[in-house]
Amino acid sequence: MPDHIVSSFDQDLEKLRRTIAEMGGIAEKMLADSITALVRRDASLAQAVIASDQRLDVLQRDLEEFAILTIARRQPLAIDLRETISAIRIASDLERIGDLAKNIGKRALAVGGQFEHQKVVLGVQTMSERVSGQLKDVLDAYTTHDTQTAIGVWERDGATDALYTSLFRELLTYMMEDPRNITFCTHMLFCAKNVERIGDHTTNIAETIHYLVTGQTIAADRPKNDRSTAPADAAS
Amino acid sequence: MPDHIVSSFDQDLEKLRRTIAEMGGIAEKMLADSITALVRRDASLAQAVIASDQRLDVLQRDLEEFAILTIARRQPLAIDLRETISAIRIASDLERIGDLAKNIGKRALAVGGQFEHQKVVLGVQTMSERVSGQLKDVLDAYTTHDTQTAIGVWERDGATDALYTSLFRELLTYMMEDPRNITFCTHMLFCAKNVERIGDHTTNIAETIHYLVTGQTIAADRPKNDRSTAPADAAS
């Protein structure tokens, strides 16, 4: 294959990687800012989170189109094909993380003037700090093609799910204690669920990195400790 | 281009369309069965819904792989490229519809033995009948490349979102009336939200069909009547 073709393809891959890096940065900031907006009841920060989702949508659509044209034009094989497919998959996860953070931003606006149970908000914040760490680490793992770090993120998400379940139960008790807590706690339930789902997307990205580097899927089932829909909870 | 190449590519497209049809059938059945399991508290039906999600995941992964190999092998242009890309996007929406129906199945198990507020379950059922109709129509529109039907589905989803918002408020009032309703109603809130999100996926599919047939995106913003995160609801 002539040199100039190889280097054009390398430029295509480089463009895909740069777009993922930009999308990752936006998604990380959206998650952090949505939680800050929730904790501080900062309406203008919440609005900014909601507004930045559009940029993420545009980047994802452009990346998908560019990646598919790259596949059609260059007909890459093996690792190069996996690089291109992985970029499409990771962009889709980052776009969905943006949607979830945007929804937290909307709820930060919705609960603006309501009765405040700061302990509950802090529970969501603790969860989101864990998940932010997962997101940061998995994006680093993508940059460095580091499967060990990716598997580490994938394993950590089990504890995040467990944290969600315990927060879910705690929120139910606040709601039972005082009906005035119900609307607020319901929004917090959805915020916590959104953070839990962002965690799931970090595990999807970890799986994609493993496939990218090794060509194999991660064999074992991911540890899943979200018991909030488990039959035992029917009693709580 | 020799005839046998054209017909091989047609066979590839036919295979993609057949897989989408199979996935659509599974997703429709999962949605219907998950709601029936919820209404009748039918644990074995709920288990069947949960089990069938795996087949949908496998079909989606296989379709994505096959579609990308088709693009690399055949380098399709214009309408043929759009057919291939559209199949990837629709498969991804159907896979997510399956995830949401599976989650309803899990909640049907979780609420199995609980206090029952049948009126609330019927509210979720009414919403899901609307959304089932949207899903059926949008899958038909894909088969027949019918943009008018696709746009119709896209427009109908606004009323589905409005129904969700009214159900959301109704559920909050039941929770405030009696703390014993809280756990049950919380699960119903998530079920209703899942059905609303399935509705969103039918509008995504409608948008994909429009792009497939016309090469253009739908210009106007989709009517969005989910007001459950609107600031005004903070008062309710």
Side-chain angles (χ1 to χ4, degrees):
Chain A
M1 198 182 281
D3 271 356
H4 75 275
I5 292 186
V6 173
S7 77
S8 299
F9 183 63
D10 282 346
Q11 280 172 13
D12 287 353
L13 285 186
E14 193 44 44
K15 181 175 167 177
L16 290 174
R17 288 191 205 106
R18 263 204 319 274
T19 308
I20 295 286
E22 183 181 352
M23 290 184 72
I26 296 171
E28 278 188 282
K29 187 166 159 38
M30 284 178 76
L31 172 58
D33 287 354
S34 70
I35 300 297
T36 304
L38 199 62
V39 173
R40 298 198 194 144
R41 307 298 165 87
D42 183 336
S44 65
L45 189 60
Q47 293 284 12
V49 171
I50 294 165
S52 47
D53 187 51
Q54 205 174 7
R55 171 83 184 135
L56 214 47
D57 290 349
V58 169
L59 285 171
Q60 190 244 335
R61 197 41 69 106
D62 288 355
L63 181 143
E64 190 182 81
E65 204 172 293
F66 181 75
I68 285 170
L69 287 176
T70 299
I71 292 170
R73 212 165 41 218
R74 317 270 186 214
Q75 302 180 269
L77 295 170
I79 175 73
D80 290 336
L81 182 59
R82 292 206 305 275
E83 272 273 352
T84 322
I85 294 172
S86 297
I88 296 173
R89 289 189 184 153
I90 293 173
S92 160
D93 281 305
L94 292 173
E95 188 269 328
R96 285 158 73 182
I97 289 174
D99 284 345
L100 294 162
K102 176 185 170 183
N103 188 269
I104 296 172
K106 284 188 184 177
R107 291 184 191 278
L109 291 180
V111 299
Q114 277 183 31
F115 167 83
E116 184 165 333
H117 214 309
Q118 199 61 16
K119 185 164 177 295
V120 169
V121 183
L122 294 180
V124 177
Q125 191 179 25
T126 304
M127 252 188 90
S128 89
E129 278 161 7
R130 265 194 77 87
V131 170
S132 289
Q134 289 174 213
L135 181 56
K136 187 194 168 299
D137 289 351
V138 87
L139 289 169
D140 288 348
Y142 172 68
T143 308
T144 56
H145 282 205
D146 174 354
T147 49
Q148 281 316 304
T149 301
I151 290 175
V153 168
W154 190 77
E155 288 171 344
R156 264 147 70 194
D157 195 55
T160 302
D161 288 341
L163 205 58
Y164 165 71
T165 303
S166 109
L167 190 58
F168 179 90
R169 294 182 185 204
E170 193 183 339
L171 281 162
L172 289 187
T173 64
Y174 292 132
M175 290 158 94
M176 288 171 194
E177 257 169 43
D178 187 341
R180 285 171 303 172
N181 298 343
I182 287 176
T183 303
F184 178 74
C185 286
T186 299
H187 284 300
M188 288 307 111
L189 268 179
F190 278 106
C191 287
K193 185 71 195 168
N194 287 343
V195 174
E196 186 260 344
R197 286 174 57 215
I198 292 174
D200 288 344
H201 288 295
T202 70
T203 68
N204 289 353
I205 297 173
E207 286 172 16
T208 300
I209 293 167
H210 191 274
Y211 156 80
L212 162 64
V213 177
T214 68
Q216 309 284 319
T217 54
I218 300 182
D221 266 350
R222 187 173 64 82
K224 184 80 187 166
N225 290 328
D226 169 10
R227 304 274 307 160
S228 73
T229 55
D233 289 75
S236 68
Chain B
M1 197 183 281
D3 271 356
H4 74 275
I5 293 186
V6 175
S7 78
S8 299
F9 183 63
D10 282 346
Q11 279 171 14
D12 287 353
L13 286 186
E14 192 44 44
K15 182 176 166 176
L16 291 173
R17 289 192 204 105
R18 263 203 319 274
T19 308
I20 295 286
E22 183 181 353
M23 290 184 71
I26 295 171
E28 279 188 280
K29 188 165 159 39
M30 284 178 75
L31 172 58
D33 287 354
S34 70
I35 301 297
T36 304
L38 199 62
V39 173
R40 299 199 193 142
R41 307 300 165 85
D42 183 336
S44 65
L45 188 59
Q47 294 283 12
V49 171
I50 294 165
S52 46
D53 186 52
Q54 206 175 6
R55 171 84 184 135
L56 214 48
D57 290 349
V58 169
L59 285 171
Q60 190 245 335
R61 197 40 68 109
D62 288 354
L63 181 142
E64 190 181 80
E65 204 173 292
F66 181 75
I68 284 169
L69 286 176
T70 299
I71 292 170
R73 211 165 43 218
R74 316 268 186 217
Q75 303 180 266
L77 294 170
I79 175 73
D80 289 337
L81 182 59
R82 292 207 304 275
E83 273 271 5
T84 322
I85 294 172
S86 297
I88 295 173
R89 289 189 185 153
I90 293 174
S92 159
D93 281 305
L94 292 173
E95 188 269 329
R96 286 157 72 184
I97 290 174
D99 284 346
L100 294 162
K102 176 184 170 183
N103 187 270
I104 297 172
K106 284 188 185 177
R107 291 185 191 276
L109 291 180
V111 299
Q114 278 182 31
F115 168 83
E116 184 166 334
H117 214 309
Q118 198 62 16
K119 186 166 175 295
V120 169
V121 183
L122 293 180
V124 177
Q125 190 179 26
T126 303
M127 252 188 89
S128 88
E129 278 161 7
R130 266 193 76 88
V131 170
S132 290
Q134 290 175 210
L135 180 56
K136 187 193 168 301
D137 289 351
V138 87
L139 289 168
D140 288 348
Y142 172 69
T143 308
T144 55
H145 282 206
D146 175 354
T147 49
Q148 281 316 306
T149 301
I151 290 174
V153 167
W154 189 77
E155 287 171 344
R156 264 148 70 195
D157 195 55
T160 302
D161 288 342
L163 205 59
Y164 166 71
T165 303
S166 111
L167 191 58
F168 179 90
R169 294 182 184 204
E170 193 183 338
L171 282 161
L172 291 185
T173 65
Y174 291 132
M175 290 158 95
M176 287 169 191
E177 259 170 41
D178 187 340
R180 286 171 303 172
N181 297 343
I182 286 175
T183 304
F184 178 74
C185 286
T186 299
H187 283 300
M188 288 306 112
L189 270 178
F190 278 105
C191 288
K193 185 70 193 170
N194 287 343
V195 174
E196 187 261 343
R197 286 174 57 216
I198 292 174
D200 288 344
H201 288 294
T202 69
T203 69
N204 290 352
I205 296 173
E207 287 172 15
T208 300
I209 292 167
H210 192 274
Y211 155 81
L212 162 64
V213 177
T214 69
Q216 308 284 321
T217 53
I218 300 183
D221 267 348
R222 188 172 65 81
K224 183 80 187 167
N225 291 327
D226 169 9
R227 304 274 308 160
S228 74
T229 56
D233 288 76
S236 68

